[in-house]
Amino acid sequence: MNAAYVFIKPHAVNAKVQALVKEMLGANGITVLSEGSLSSEEIDEKLLIDQHYYAIASKATILKPHELNVPTEKFQKHFGLTWTDALANGNVVNAMDACERFGVDSDALDKAWGAAKDAGRLVKFGGGFYCGLVEMEGKEPLYVFNGFFMSMRSKYTAPGGSIYYYSVEWDKASASWSDFRNNILGPTDPATAPATSVRGAILGDWKSLGLASEPNVGDNGVHASASPFE
């Protein structure tokens, strides 16, 4: 048997979508073993979304800068300052601490991060590992790691929100992982998803399902495990 974790994203959590997803999983031979809701408060408190996106979040919310394996030569080449001196100056922070130091919310940090990117004050150290010299009016500039993550995180931690999950399994002979991801769940971009897939069905009927806006790559209705390991 194959097993996976499927959840409806916060933007799409309502009774109609829950019923649709469960019905479509069953119609494709997917057995729901358990289901339930996780509040945004619990997701925030237990850092659940941070653990889910660990490769990105470890630099943004979980680890402090001195705990990261920063390519020191690349940092100095881009910013004209040694990594040692930057740490000693105390103006190197992860994204979560940047919000606190600047006194701003995730959207404001995301906007400032975008400005840093446009100005060439951003460097990529590896997959999901970025640092930017972020400026905020009236504040001392900070070297921030993965400043984009807080806006992404806030979709799951905004007060009053939730996800709705399904723990599922299916016979390997009935559907491969490729079938599950591409044909049953549907591609990440719902615009390219088959109408018979979960993401395609949510896109095709989003208004009558009661969604506030048309699904897109980020808000595509549902998420699911990408592999047996995940």
Side-chain angles (χ1 to χ4, degrees):
M1 300 293 284
N2 277 324
Y5 188 74
V6 180
F7 66 79
I8 300 172
K9 295 184 176 183
H11 77 97
V13 173
N14 66 41
K16 288 184 178 180
V17 177
Q18 288 167 213
L20 172 69
V21 172
K22 189 171 183 178
E23 179 183 348
M24 293 191 72
L25 289 173
N28 283 281
I30 309 294
T31 301
V32 175
L33 301 175
S34 64
E35 60 184 282
S37 180
L38 283 173
S39 70
S40 58
E41 289 77 12
E42 185 175 0
I43 292 170
D44 188 15
E45 179 185 352
K46 295 183 178 179
L47 300 179
L48 298 180
I49 198 64
D50 308 80
Q51 296 296 334
H52 181 72
Y53 290 111
Y54 186 82
I56 300 172
S58 59
K59 288 87 174 176
T61 65
I62 299 172
L63 302 177
K64 301 296 184 181
H66 71 273
E67 298 174 300
L68 299 176
N69 185 23
V70 174
T72 56
E73 291 184 5
K74 201 168 186 178
F75 183 92
Q76 184 173 355
K77 180 179 179 181
H78 193 83
F79 296 116
L81 178 71
T82 69
W83 174 239
T84 301
D85 286 344
L87 281 175
N89 291 341
N91 59 352
V92 184
V93 293
N94 64 26
M96 182 173 282
D97 289 341
C99 285
E100 184 176 346
R101 287 274 294 271
F102 282 137
V104 298
D105 62 15
S106 58
D107 289 338
L109 180 63
D110 190 57
K111 183 177 180 180
W113 178 265
K117 180 179 180 180
D118 292 341
R121 300 192 305 270
L122 207 69
V123 61
K124 181 178 181 179
F125 294 137
F129 190 8
Y130 298 83
C131 182
L133 180 56
V134 178
E135 297 180 349
M136 200 75 66
E137 188 176 353
K139 304 285 185 178
E140 180 184 6
L142 296 173
Y143 296 94
V144 180
F145 287 96
N146 287 5
F148 62 90
F149 180 69
M150 296 307 291
S151 179
M152 176 179 166
R153 184 181 192 272
S154 68
K155 293 183 178 181
Y156 292 90
T157 60
S162 66
I163 66 167
Y164 195 86
Y165 68 86
Y166 305 88
S167 179
V168 305
E169 70 174 14
W170 70 94
D171 192 318
K172 293 179 180 179
S174 67
S176 66
W177 269 95
S178 178
D179 288 334
F180 174 67
R181 294 288 303 173
N182 297 315
N183 300 324
I184 298 174
L185 191 68
T188 302
D189 183 353
T192 65
T196 52
S197 69
V198 175
R199 286 175 175 150
I202 292 173
L203 173 63
D205 211 19
W206 68 271
K207 289 183 180 179
S208 63
L209 286 171
L211 302 192
S213 59
E214 185 176 13
N216 53 46
V217 174
D219 291 335
N220 56 10
V222 293
H223 179 81
S225 306
S227 67
F229 177 78
E230 183 175 294

